[in-house]
């Protein structure tokens, strides 16, 4: 019997009364970023939703409020703001400090691999390492490293499990231009967000959304590639989630006592849904030790990214066959 970790006392965030700042005191985009970083540091915010530090998050919020792409920040960094723009930025900074919500929910936007996606409280804020791996290890936009598939153009069928907002399914459609993508989630709310993103990226004919529990909606179909970013937070991690993560759907985090409840089901059934030359790409966070202990006979190939090490594995279909 696995004992669940005792929940630590919840970290309460005290709502701070915003300081009185005249829009005229802060002039440029850089001024507002510096001010936001000071507020964020004072409030001890958590950054794990597309940005990893207060400077990046402040720049993201400033750009979104001004309807600028993040890549345009440097161009306008020293530009002065109109009074109404300044008021809007101060308002969103106050909301970020006091709401306990991820920045992406406040502006209904997140970027993955340079592409914009809609997001709201109905789905987890996407921040998967798999997006980078589709480019770096599958002949995608980077296409310079070793590829785990012989020819991305030859990939015909991709299944994404636990799709959430649909971002990875859309990135898979970009990485594999001739593939049809089946994207599955158990949450009706999440699929509503995914449908919006699929429509906004014009992929209604290539990305099919299915509601159901993992493989159930796709019956006996077989795929060249299965992608999964399932819930994988263990009991101890769930007890210590920061306020920003508690604002997201619990269903998208909770992986059971050891974090592997859903991962096990994906692994145990994957061979029944992969073509002979196919493979499984799955993100599991910090569960590597537990997974390798649970499946000592399986030769997991661990793929690193710029910001992760040993949090995503690849398995060829042949490695999933039981002896």
């Amino acid at each position: 019997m696995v004992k669940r970790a005792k929940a630590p006392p919840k970290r309460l965030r005290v709502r701070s009364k915003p300081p009185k700042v005249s829009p005229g005191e802060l002039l440029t985009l850089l001024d507002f970023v510096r001010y936001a970083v000071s507020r964020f540091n004072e409030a001890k915010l958590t950054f794990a939703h597309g940005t990893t530090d207060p400077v990046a998050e402040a720049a993201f919020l400033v750009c979104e409020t001004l309807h600028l792409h993040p890549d345009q920040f440097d161009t306008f960094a020293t530009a002065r703001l109109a009074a109404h723009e300044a008021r809007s930025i101060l308002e969103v900074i106050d909301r970020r400090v006091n709401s306990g919500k991820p920045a992406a929910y406040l502006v209904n936007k997140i970027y993955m691999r340079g592409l914009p996606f809609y997001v709201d409280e109905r789905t987890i804020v996407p921040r998967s390492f798999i997006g980078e791996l589709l480019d770096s290890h599958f002949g995608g936009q980077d296409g310079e490293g070793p590829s785990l598939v012989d020819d991305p153009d030859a990939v015909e069928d991709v299944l994404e499990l636990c799709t959430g907002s649909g971002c990875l399914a859309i990135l898979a459609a970009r990485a594999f231009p001739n593939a049809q993508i089946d994207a599955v989630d158990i949450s009706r709310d999440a699929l509503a967000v995914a449908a919006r993103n699929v429509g906004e990226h014009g992929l209604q004919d290539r990305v099919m959304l299915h509601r159901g529990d993992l493989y159930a909606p796709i019956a006996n179909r077989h795929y060249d590639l299965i992608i999964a970013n399932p819930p994988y937070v263990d009991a101890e991690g769930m007890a210590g989630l920061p306020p920003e993560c508690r604002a997201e759907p619990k269903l998208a985090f909770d992986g059971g006592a050891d974090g592997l409840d859903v991962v096990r089901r994906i692994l145990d059934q994957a061979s029944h849904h992969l073509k002979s030359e196919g493979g499984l790409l799955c993100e599991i966070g910090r569960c590597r030790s537990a997974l390798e202990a649970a499946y000592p006979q399986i030769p997991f190939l661990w793929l690193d990214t710029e910001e992760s090490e040993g949090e995503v594995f690849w398995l060829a279909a042949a490695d999933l066959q039981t002896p």
Side-chain angles (χ1 to χ4, degrees):
M1 179 178 178
V2 178
K3 293 184 178 180
R4 290 183 176 270
K6 184 178 180 181
K10 289 186 178 180
R11 175 163 61 93
L12 298 179
R13 179 170 294 159
V14 179
R15 294 176 63 89
S16 66
K17 185 176 181 180
K20 293 183 178 180
V21 178
S22 169
E25 294 181 74
L26 303 172
L27 301 177
T28 69
L29 272 65
L30 279 174
D31 289 339
F32 283 89
V33 167
R34 199 284 308 155
Y35 171 76
V37 170
S38 294
R39 294 286 309 278
F40 295 168
N41 288 340
E42 179 186 27
K44 296 180 172 57
L45 302 186
T46 298
F47 308 98
H49 299 80
T51 60
T52 57
D53 61 77
V55 176
E57 182 135 317
F60 167 70
L61 284 176
V62 167
C63 283
E64 285 305 309
T65 305
L66 298 177
H67 308 290
L68 298 174
H69 190 278
D71 291 343
Q72 295 176 302
F73 179 84
D74 288 343
T75 302
F76 298 104
T78 58
R80 293 192 174 199
L81 276 68
H84 73 277
E85 293 176 325
R87 286 192 293 269
S88 295
I89 291 175
L90 291 174
E91 179 184 344
V92 77
I93 291 171
D94 288 339
R95 290 176 61 204
R96 178 65 182 94
V97 169
N98 292 311
S99 69
K101 293 182 179 181
Y105 285 166
L106 303 181
V107 296
N108 299 123
K109 180 78 70 64
I110 194 73
Y111 289 88
M112 289 188 68
R113 308 306 292 167
L115 295 182
F117 296 97
Y118 175 86
V119 67
D120 63 31
E121 286 88 343
R122 292 174 292 177
T123 182
I124 190 173
V125 178
R127 59 264 203 186
S128 175
F129 301 121
I130 289 176
E132 178 184 334
L133 292 170
L134 289 175
D135 284 344
S136 63
H137 285 67
F138 292 86
Q141 299 297 304
D142 295 347
E144 297 180 356
S147 180
L148 293 171
V149 297
D150 292 333
D151 180 6
D153 291 345
V155 174
E156 298 178 341
D157 301 284
V158 176
L159 171 64
E160 193 215 344
L161 301 173
C162 309
T163 191
S165 56
C167 298
L168 289 182
I170 292 166
L171 292 176
R174 181 178 70 162
F176 309 109
N178 298 316
Q180 291 291 317
I181 319 292
D182 284 330
V184 177
D185 204 287
I186 200 169
S187 167
R188 189 187 305 274
D189 284 343
L191 288 173
V193 176
R196 174 168 177 164
N197 282 318
V198 170
E200 289 184 352
H201 286 272
L203 290 169
Q204 300 94 321
D205 294 336
R206 294 186 54 209
V207 179
M208 303 294 110
L209 301 175
H210 307 269
R211 182 170 179 255
D213 187 14
L214 298 180
Y215 301 101
I218 51 93
N220 296 317
R221 287 201 61 185
H222 291 75
Y223 297 87
D224 298 299
L225 176 65
I226 297 175
I227 298 170
N229 183 22
Y232 53 68
V233 180
D234 62 18
E236 183 178 1
M238 289 298 297
L241 286 177
E244 287 85 353
C245 293
R246 293 182 184 276
E248 299 175 270
K250 179 182 178 182
L251 180 68
F253 287 99
D254 195 350
D258 64 356
L260 296 177
D261 283 3
V262 182
V263 177
R264 285 190 184 89
R265 295 174 56 214
I266 291 172
L267 263 174
D268 293 345
Q269 301 176 54
S271 62
H272 303 299
H273 298 281
L274 281 171
K275 297 178 183 178
S276 59
E277 299 300 317
L280 168 66
L281 184 68
C282 184
E283 182 168 333
I284 62 161
R286 300 188 178 112
C287 295
R288 175 174 177 172
S289 297
L291 185 68
E292 289 179 329
Y295 294 88
Q297 77 283 7
I298 293 183
F300 296 101
L301 174 62
W302 296 98
L303 306 177
D304 298 338
T305 69
E306 291 183 1
E307 297 180 356
S308 73
E309 183 176 342
E311 297 191 37
V312 182
F313 68 79
W314 165 260
L315 283 174
D319 296 325
L320 284 161
Q321 301 297 327
T322 53

